[in-house]
Amino acid sequence: MGATPVFALDETVEGLKLDYQEWEPGGDPYASRALITPQFMRLDYGVDGEGFILFDREAGMVYSVQVEDQRILEVAALADDAAGIGEPPIPLVLAQSSEADDNAPSLGGRQPVITEFTVNDELCQQTVSIAGLLPEAVSAWREFALLMAAQRATTLHNTPPEFWQACSLANEIYAPTRYLQQGLPIRAY
């Protein structure tokens, strides 16, 4: 008596692997990676046996998988009528300025661009980006950021107003994709 496989293990999937190095102020650097296909994006620390975030792009679902605890947190995209984030609870004046990074080498004939993003005249984020670099990755990051922004907006009322910060509100809810406007960041801080 034999078993018939339901799937073939020798199938290959085309995708992108992006390796990042991250660090918090005063901390040691650590690895993180993004694996991106047309259907999925997986975010992890570069180790397969540890926890990860899986974004099912087709289903509009995010799964936060905690291997050690054997738990999975599911975050679903909101229905179209509930996805409107609305107005921010405090004034947010968004601005940005960009200039070519003449000290960096060009890539594919394109010069990296340094962009500073401000909210209410406070510097919130700075990126070094290359226009047209890996548009598939830009699309995946944009989809993920918009889904998470809509979810964060639904729980904003749980945060006392005295803890609202203009940069966080802009970056995480009200303008979560503006850091992608110049292309895929090769550095963000």
Side-chain angles (χ1 to χ4, degrees):
M1 188 175 337
T4 305
V6 181
F7 60 91
L9 293 176
D10 60 352
E11 291 183 34
T12 59
V13 176
E14 293 290 320
L16 296 170
K17 177 184 174 197
L18 304 175
D19 289 307
Y20 294 96
Q21 184 140 24
E22 299 186 39
W23 60 90
E24 303 297 326
D28 292 330
Y30 57 93
S32 68
R33 74 177 171 190
L35 304 171
I36 301 169
T37 70
Q39 185 176 354
F40 296 104
M41 179 166 72
R42 176 183 162 136
L43 307 173
D44 60 35
Y45 295 110
V47 180
D48 289 332
E50 295 184 3
F52 59 92
I53 293 173
L54 181 66
F55 173 36
D56 184 335
R57 299 173 68 189
E58 290 181 1
M61 290 288 295
V62 174
Y63 304 93
S64 178
V65 179
Q66 303 300 319
V67 174
E68 188 174 304
D69 299 356
Q70 297 184 347
R71 291 184 306 157
I72 299 174
L73 171 67
E74 296 181 358
V75 178
L78 300 175
D80 288 340
D81 58 344
I85 290 177
E87 294 297 314
I90 60 174
L92 299 177
V93 179
L94 307 177
Q96 68 188 55
S97 61
S98 299
E99 64 180 318
D101 185 351
D102 295 327
N103 296 321
S106 65
L107 180 66
R110 292 178 239 155
Q111 196 64 34
V113 173
I114 300 172
T115 305
E116 292 185 342
F117 299 95
T118 61
V119 179
N120 300 347
D121 295 322
E122 177 186 353
L123 178 62
C124 296
Q125 190 172 30
Q126 188 177 43
T127 62
V128 177
S129 305
I130 298 177
L133 179 65
L134 301 173
E136 308 87 10
V138 173
S139 293
W141 282 112
R142 180 175 285 117
E143 294 164 17
F144 181 74
L146 291 172
L147 184 149
M148 295 307 296
Q151 284 295 329
R152 289 180 184 119
T154 66
T155 61
L156 181 60
H157 67 279
N158 295 336
T159 304
E162 59 269 20
F163 293 111
W164 292 339
Q165 297 177 351
C167 285
S168 293
L169 289 172
N171 292 347
E172 296 176 9
I173 299 174
Y174 296 98
T177 63
R178 72 182 185 147
Y179 77 100
L180 297 166
Q181 289 175 353
Q182 299 296 326
L184 183 68
I186 56 174
R187 183 172 184 187
Y189 40 100

